[in-house]
Amino acid sequence: MFVTSAYAQTAPAAPETPAAPGTAPAGDTHAAPAGEVHTETGVAHEGEHGGGTFPPFDATHFPSQILWLVITFGLFYLLMKKVIVPRVGGILEHRHDRIAQDLDEAARLKSEADTAVETYEKELAAARSKAHNIAETAREAAKTKAAADRAAIEAELAEKLTAAETSIGEIKAKAFAQVGQIAEETASAIVDQLIGGKANGDDIKAAVAAAKTEA
Amino acid sequence: MANDPIHQFQISKIVPIEIGGIDFSFTNASLFMVATVACAAGFLYFATSQRGLIPGRSQSVAEMSYEFIAGMLREGAGSHGMKFFPLVFSLFMFVLTANMLGMFPYFFTVTSQIIVTFALALLVIGTVLVYGFYKHGLHFLQLFVPSGVPGALLPLVVAIEIISFLSRPVSLSVRLFANMLAGHITLKVFAGFVASLGSLGALGIGGAVLPLIMTVALTGLEFLVAFLQAYVFAVLTCMYLNDAVHPGGH
């Protein structure tokens, strides 16, 4: 309803001014050469379709519109096809590649780290078992050595014991051997004291020997 | 006259060119086509000139629009359809930039001209036809014969399929054109109310608040429409290209 009223405003206005509505009258009054262009269009309007031709349906402008559309859109299409599309496509592809590459790199580093951890743990386990072995061997060796030492010391001690026993036996035998003489000397001294004279040595000897055998 | 909502679609010559009796003048429409291409291409060119591994703000926008269209095309026409990526990307960026430039006051909206949108739609359908026949030969005509239709219904279904195919360029172009045209007219009408009511004095100024709010809301809506129509144009292009790539299967 608003539109139709607006239309009604222009419809009667058109016959009043013979030229096209808008700039054409201004051009007419001011400068003839500049106005010619406008009046031409105005005349074309009137000649073919009458004063109220709706501009978008005015066929006189169609060739010019098509020509300039072909020129401008053709150029635009060429520019898009040759420059912009490959460029933007390249940017996007480059970014995509870069991200994929970075992800690959990250995955590679992760697997490397995993391998390193695995190797480390393996080596740690190996070192631990090796240390255990060394300790075991050392313990064994120490035990054997201690046993051997003890055996040697025991053997030595036994030897020394035997030697001591032998020497004690010898000393004892020697002592026993001297016992007769000491007893004779002691007995002769005692007899001397008792009888106040010299006792016969042979008698004492015999008496001691008799006592000895009795004992 | 200042409130004429149609005036914004008026084409005026800037450099008159006439070849063989046909008018090929460089007009304000041509100027805004050039501006559209310059803005879109310039932005994409300078935004991506750093080729940063970590994108800056503008490079992100360029990459997002690239991936947006690439995803749309891959979803719509499969990986075989990716050879049409430059075409779909150019169409989307061109239509989007033209729509957005049209939102500036006093700027000309390239896509509000039916001939422009129709030419773009014909480009799409022409690509579908040429590639379809080039790649599949007469098998491309399978497009019009859906599988699993009973024999008695087949002529009817084929006729419907052909009509729907023929109506594609029309619907594709009229949708974009009509949306831009209607949106700009509505904006202009409501903005015109603000000016004409405002000149009526104190009461008028009070009354002008309503169309002003409406204009602000419509401006937001029109930005949405400007993006949405570029998106719809690109999505439909992908769907139609899918027919050229896979005419048999749906």
Side-chain angles (χ1 to χ4, degrees):
Chain A
M1 196 177 140
F2 290 137
V3 179
T4 44
S5 70
Y7 241 124
Q9 271 187 347
T10 45
E16 279 169 29
T17 50
T23 53
D28 267 338
T29 46
H30 281 296
E36 259 176 26
V37 176
H38 295 291
T39 33
E40 257 178 28
T41 31
V43 167
H45 283 201
E46 314 244 317
E48 284 179 30
H49 308 284
T53 311
F54 190 49
F57 294 143
D58 185 352
T60 49
H61 296 302
F62 284 2
S64 143
Q65 297 249 56
I66 291 172
L67 174 76
W68 287 102
L69 179 68
V70 167
I71 292 173
T72 51
F73 188 75
L75 272 176
F76 186 65
Y77 175 74
L78 277 181
L79 194 70
M80 290 299 114
K81 191 178 167 65
K82 298 287 176 202
V83 182
I84 303 295
V85 167
R87 185 192 278 181
V88 178
I91 291 171
L92 293 177
E93 199 170 322
H94 179 227
R95 181 176 310 142
H96 185 262
D97 285 356
R98 178 66 185 272
I99 288 168
Q101 190 185 318
D102 284 0
L103 283 179
D104 283 356
E105 179 75 8
R108 195 182 62 76
L109 288 176
K110 189 184 179 298
S111 79
E112 241 171 49
D114 285 351
T115 324
V117 166
E118 208 172 293
T119 320
Y120 162 76
E121 272 173 3
K122 209 180 278 173
E123 272 176 13
L124 193 67
R128 204 172 274 154
S129 77
K130 202 176 166 192
H132 186 72
N133 280 347
I134 288 169
E136 198 75 7
T137 325
R139 198 183 297 141
E140 282 299 319
K143 209 186 265 175
T144 345
K145 192 167 179 288
D149 283 358
R150 198 173 59 194
I153 288 166
E154 272 172 2
E156 199 181 325
L157 286 179
E159 204 175 287
K160 276 182 182 165
L161 199 66
T162 334
E165 269 170 5
T166 322
S167 113
I168 287 169
E170 271 170 22
I171 291 166
K172 208 179 181 180
K174 212 186 266 172
F176 269 122
Q178 289 170 351
V179 162
Q181 197 188 339
I182 293 166
E184 280 168 19
E185 283 169 10
T186 315
S188 104
I190 291 168
V191 170
D192 286 352
Q193 284 288 319
L194 285 175
I195 57 175
K198 274 280 184 190
N200 190 347
D202 288 338
D203 292 345
I204 291 170
K205 232 179 224 173
V208 167
K212 231 171 159 183
T213 43
E214 270 172 37
Chain B
M1 202 52 96
N3 280 351
D4 178 9
I6 306 300
H7 177 249
Q8 56 182 319
F9 306 114
Q10 202 76 50
I11 288 173
S12 56
K13 293 177 189 177
I14 296 170
V15 182
I17 302 165
E18 199 173 305
I19 302 164
I22 306 171
D23 180 21
F24 286 122
S25 304
F26 187 82
T27 61
N28 55 347
S30 321
L31 176 68
F32 277 93
M33 286 178 200
V34 172
T36 299
V37 168
C39 285
F43 170 73
L44 289 171
Y45 186 84
F46 289 110
T48 57
S49 60
Q50 296 279 321
R51 294 165 197 259
L53 191 63
I54 298 152
R57 222 175 283 176
S58 54
Q59 194 185 322
S60 284
V61 173
E63 284 174 12
M64 266 164 63
S65 43
Y66 180 100
E67 288 184 319
F68 179 60
I69 299 299
M72 185 194 291
L73 185 57
R74 197 174 291 117
E75 210 168 279
S79 54
H80 289 294
M82 289 311 283
K83 60 171 74 70
F84 295 111
F85 179 73
L87 176 68
V88 183
F89 188 63
S90 306
L91 280 170
F92 176 74
M93 290 309 290
F94 186 84
V95 172
L96 179 67
T97 315
N99 289 355
M100 287 300 178
L101 277 183
M103 288 307 294
F104 284 93
Y106 299 107
F107 276 27
F108 187 84
T109 314
V110 174
T111 42
S112 67
Q113 303 288 315
I114 181 77
I115 186 66
V116 171
T117 60
F118 192 68
L120 292 177
L122 274 188
L123 173 66
V124 172
I125 301 299
T127 309
V128 169
L129 284 175
V130 169
Y131 182 80
F133 279 116
Y134 166 74
K135 193 76 182 173
H136 304 285
L138 289 178
H139 287 295
F140 180 61
L141 294 175
Q142 278 179 344
L143 180 63
F144 303 116
V145 189
S147 54
V149 175
L153 281 175
L154 205 57
L156 187 66
V157 170
V158 168
I160 291 173
E161 287 282 334
I162 289 175
I163 291 171
S164 88
F165 187 85
L166 290 179
S167 68
R168 277 176 182 181
V170 177
S171 68
L172 190 59
S173 56
V174 168
R175 183 180 298 111
L176 176 57
F177 154 73
N179 266 288
M180 300 318 292
L181 185 87
H184 281 76
I185 290 178
T186 318
L187 260 184
K188 182 85 181 187
V189 167
F190 275 99
F193 283 151
V194 179
S196 47
L197 281 173
S199 62
L200 291 179
L203 198 69
I205 289 173
V209 170
L210 280 176
L212 180 63
I213 293 169
M214 197 69 183
T215 308
V216 171
L218 277 175
T219 306
L221 181 72
E222 281 309 303
F223 273 110
L224 177 71
V225 169
F227 171 76
L228 208 63
Q229 287 306 315
Y231 171 74
V232 167
F233 198 93
V235 165
L236 288 174
T237 302
C238 292
M239 279 177 56
Y240 298 160
L241 286 171
N242 184 40
D243 287 341
V245 182
H246 314 106
H250 281 279

